[in-house]
Amino acid sequence: MAMRLIHSLVVTCPVTVKLGAPARVVSSARRSRVGEWRGVSSGARPLVFAKAKQRGESVGEEEDRARIEDHHQQLADDDEEEEEEPFVRFEERDFAGTASVPVYVMLPLGVIDMKSEVVEPEELLDQLRTLKSVNVDGVMVDCWWGIVESHTPQVYNWSGYKKLFHMIRQLGLKIQVVMSFHECGGNVGDDVHIQLPQWVREIGQTNPDIYFTDRAGLRNSECLTWGIDKQRVLRGRTALEVYFDYMRSFRVEFDEFFEDKIITEIEVGLGPCGELRYPSYPAQHGWKYPGIGEFQCYDKYLMKSLKEAAEVRGHSFWGRGPDNTESYNSTPHGTGFFRDGGDYDSYYGRFFLNWYSRVLIDHGDRVLSMANLAFEGNCIAAKLSGIHWWYKTASHAAELTAGFYNSSNRDGYGPIAAMLKKHDAALNFTCVELRTLAQHEDFPEALADPEGLVWQVLNAAWDANIPVASENALPCYDREGYNKILENAKPLNDPDGRHLSCFTYLRLNRTLLESQNFIEFERFVKRMHGEAVSDLGLLPRVKETKLE
């Protein structure tokens, strides 16, 4: 079950708290958003309002006035005590003595430019020293296919990454490496644009079916369709061979970092954003949260696979995609396919979803086989997207379009965990900082449940006996978010003592390094490492501000 902080204080109205110099907490009627302090869930000290009342007996006007004045004096005395106390107090779990969970920090997406050079190396070195000063274990680095093999097939330029890795090693930090076979740009948090290799895009101009395609024929160039995993359409090579050659080149080029145990894990990109999922909710095609997304199987290679599967099943007319799923920003109940009792649970619907999800699992299976060949004896991992919206509906529509066949009567993550177990691969999962209540406050129509999803996925992986790592889905600088991560990292009273194998923070930037933000981050790192903190259950007060 998901765990929540238990607060002993009663809050009469929401408060917004931002870390800063000690001062009073001021109430606000504004509804908070994810990533901000919330009075109810953070346990911030409440303002108590009262008025003098007669308690069943008749009292005179003078006595009544005296009682009210006494009460006002008491409130004034309380205010003076508040101003002397620089903290608000709230109950907070003590993680001292718990298992140490390594903490890594993602480097900026554009830390290496298109010329394969380190961007602003002096500033980066100072930032890395700052991370090292609070005992961060290491960093995560995206090795972009679009930079390294940009112009010519099998001609790799690792020069910028070599310089970067030497900088990191000199500071005594470890490295998680991502084999990034996807495009950067157009998704949440993307601040640079790194396309697929130029020679691949040239192929795509004459053969656009190398990309995922939706029902309207819109192509998505974020990554290559899994339909060409075994098709020799990339200058005589299959997509699998291209991925293997790239990974093998990296393994040879960075041998010293493997030998010295500086590289601790290779996360293998398996789809858009490096995640094992279909690009079902692309902003470039107009998707907005919490739209259900669309199926992405209409390139000629995947459609051929679907038709063959339908013929084997004995129903060749099933060799098509569903035609009643509406559009990217539809709701489940606004479609014939995803609504309660809809076609997703018909004979055809179950056939299609089984095929669609099986293509996803088979792709992961094939690429991870190549990864184990390339990185023999080293830890590999795969990343799964935390698609938590519409989780409280029967169909789980947003998960279905992304390839996770996780409707209410079916476990969609157990088969993925079993595939990862086959390759001794770790599972990296997102959205561990999100709270279901906060999602309901901000987007009640989305019927989201990130806590339920995280618990389901983590247990599916632990049941398969594979390591589970995680990262935050959105920027996180506040104690509430950190506490939620800690709760998921080290479940309370777990009889088997299960915990995350590591946590990767998204991401290094100047905002993280701001004074109060970094103090909170250092505190979080200590607790992830199982160290004691001196301010347990104490939250700095804020300056008094009034909102219009």
Side-chain angles (χ1 to χ4, degrees):
M1 64 177 68
M3 295 163 292
R4 303 177 184 276
L5 292 176
I6 300 174
H7 309 292
S8 58
L9 301 174
V10 178
V11 182
T12 57
C13 56
V15 297
T16 298
V17 180
K18 293 185 179 177
L19 297 177
R24 292 179 59 191
V25 178
V26 178
S27 65
S28 166
R30 184 174 69 91
R31 188 176 66 185
S32 58
R33 295 282 178 178
V34 177
E36 295 181 322
W37 287 101
R38 300 176 188 89
V40 174
S41 52
S42 69
R45 188 170 185 170
L47 298 177
V48 181
F49 299 96
K51 65 178 181 178
K53 292 184 177 180
Q54 294 175 324
R55 301 183 179 276
E57 69 273 19
S58 175
V59 294
E61 182 177 351
E62 292 292 329
E63 184 180 356
D64 187 44
R65 183 182 300 110
R67 292 180 62 177
I68 294 175
E69 289 174 355
D70 288 343
H71 178 73
H72 287 169
Q73 183 60 48
Q74 182 62 49
L75 289 179
D77 292 341
D78 288 346
D79 282 346
E80 290 179 6
E81 291 179 9
E82 285 182 4
E83 291 174 0
E84 293 173 2
E85 173 61 70
F87 299 101
V88 289
R89 299 178 181 274
F90 67 108
E91 292 190 18
E92 191 175 26
R93 183 178 158 197
D94 186 2
F95 288 92
T98 59
S100 179
V101 175
V103 177
Y104 288 72
V105 176
M106 296 183 201
L107 294 191
L109 292 168
V111 68
I112 302 294
D113 64 21
M114 292 303 298
K115 297 179 181 179
S116 196
E117 293 293 337
V118 180
V119 176
E120 299 181 357
E122 293 303 320
E123 180 181 2
L124 177 62
L125 194 59
D126 287 342
Q127 293 176 335
L128 291 175
R129 289 194 185 103
T130 302
L131 293 179
K132 180 63 177 177
S133 73
V134 297
N135 295 319
V136 164
D137 295 271
V139 295
M140 174 179 276
V141 180
D142 285 276
C143 289
W144 294 102
W145 183 30
I147 293 176
V148 176
E149 195 183 357
S150 179
H151 299 292
T152 308
Q154 295 181 278
V155 176
Y156 308 100
N157 182 0
W158 297 105
S159 59
Y161 288 102
K162 275 204 164 182
K163 294 176 185 176
L164 176 62
F165 284 22
H166 280 293
M167 290 170 55
I168 296 169
R169 179 168 64 179
Q170 288 172 3
L171 293 174
L173 293 167
K174 303 293 186 181
I175 306 173
Q176 294 173 326
V177 177
V178 184
M179 297 285 100
S180 297
F181 295 114
H182 61 284
E183 177 183 79
C184 178
N187 289 300
V188 175
D190 290 352
D191 53 6
V192 295
H193 190 200
I194 302 171
Q195 296 177 289
L196 298 187
Q198 179 182 340
W199 63 271
V200 173
R201 286 182 279 125
E202 289 172 354
I203 296 171
Q205 289 175 1
T206 57
N207 181 12
D209 284 288
I210 67 172
Y211 302 127
F212 283 105
T213 308
D214 66 17
R215 184 158 52 100
L218 294 175
R219 312 289 186 175
N220 189 317
S221 61
E222 286 186 74
C223 59
L224 300 179
T225 173
W226 306 329
I228 64 169
D229 279 357
K230 297 181 178 181
Q231 302 294 324
R232 295 192 177 279
V233 296
L234 301 175
R235 302 281 180 89
R237 291 186 295 166
T238 67
L240 282 179
E241 290 169 340
V242 169
Y243 302 146
F244 173 79
D245 290 344
Y246 183 87
M247 291 187 287
R248 187 62 187 169
S249 172
F250 177 87
R251 176 63 183 85
V252 172
E253 198 74 24
F254 292 89
D255 179 67
E256 60 182 297
F257 295 92
F258 284 97
E259 293 300 315
D260 294 343
K261 308 298 183 185
I262 302 300
I263 295 175
T264 58
E265 183 180 83
I266 305 291
E267 184 176 290
V268 183
L270 298 172
C273 298
E275 299 166 339
L276 180 59
R277 65 172 176 86
Y278 290 86
S280 57
Y281 48 99
Q284 60 184 290
H285 292 164
W287 174 85
K288 294 181 180 179
Y289 183 85
I292 58 175
E294 290 193 26
F295 292 115
Q296 304 289 319
C297 58
Y298 293 90
D299 63 84
K300 66 183 182 182
Y301 302 104
L302 287 182
M303 288 307 295
K304 182 174 183 290
S305 170
L306 176 58
K307 290 175 182 177
E308 290 174 349
E311 290 172 0
V312 170
R313 181 69 170 77
H315 301 289
S316 58
F317 57 93
W318 283 356
R320 55 174 177 79
D323 57 8
N324 56 349
T325 56
E326 302 308 323
S327 61
Y328 285 106
N329 293 314
S330 296
T331 61
H333 47 274
T335 74
F337 192 82
F338 298 113
R339 63 177 175 79
D340 289 357
D343 289 344
Y344 81 92
D345 204 27
S346 66
Y347 288 110
Y348 159 74
R350 291 195 293 270
F351 159 78
F352 173 79
L353 293 171
N354 267 306
W355 169 82
Y356 191 73
S357 61
R358 176 48 57 185
V359 169
L360 175 144
I361 294 172
D362 287 347
H363 170 72
D365 186 24
R366 289 190 293 261
V367 178
L368 292 178
S369 293
M370 296 295 101
N372 268 329
L373 285 175
F375 302 116
E376 184 177 4
N378 294 284
C379 298
I380 63 173
K383 181 178 174 182
L384 239 58
S385 178
I387 302 179
H388 52 80
W389 53 105
W390 306 116
Y391 188 84
K392 290 184 177 180
T393 63
S395 66
H396 291 228
E399 290 167 87
L400 296 186
T401 57
F404 307 133
Y405 192 177
N406 192 51
S407 54
S408 59
N409 58 354
R410 192 179 187 278
D411 175 19
Y413 299 102
I416 296 174
M419 180 272 291
L420 297 178
K421 174 65 175 178
K422 173 182 173 182
H423 301 288
D424 293 321
L427 169 64
N428 186 12
F429 195 62
T430 63
C431 77
V432 290
E433 85 284 13
L434 300 183
R435 293 180 180 272
T436 297
L437 178 59
Q439 291 295 309
H440 180 70
E441 291 173 350
D442 294 339
F443 295 96
E445 72 277 11
L447 296 176
D449 186 7
E451 293 181 36
L453 176 63
V454 167
W455 196 243
Q456 180 186 358
V457 174
L458 263 56
N459 278 279
W462 281 328
D463 287 348
N465 198 28
I466 60 175
V468 186
S470 72
E471 61 189 50
N472 48 306
L474 299 172
C476 177
Y477 306 107
D478 62 87
R479 193 170 300 181
E480 182 184 17
Y482 288 139
N483 282 342
K484 186 60 187 175
I485 294 168
L486 282 156
E487 290 171 12
N488 284 317
K490 306 176 185 184
L492 182 65
N493 297 328
D494 188 300
D496 301 310
R498 300 178 300 185
H499 56 82
L500 296 181
S501 59
C502 69
F503 174 80
T504 305
Y505 176 85
L506 180 154
R507 113 180 20 251
L508 176 62
N509 57 38
R510 292 174 182 172
T511 303
L512 171 66
L513 300 179
E514 290 175 3
S515 176
Q516 189 60 54
N517 288 341
F518 200 66
I519 289 172
E520 283 296 323
F521 179 72
E522 179 182 11
R523 184 181 188 275
F524 166 70
V525 172
K526 286 182 178 179
R527 301 179 78 200
M528 288 292 278
H529 287 166
E531 301 172 19
V533 294
S534 59
D535 60 343
L536 188 69
L538 298 177
L539 176 67
R541 289 186 179 279
V542 299
K543 293 180 179 180
E544 182 170 321
T545 57
K546 294 182 186 267
L547 297 175
E548 295 297 332

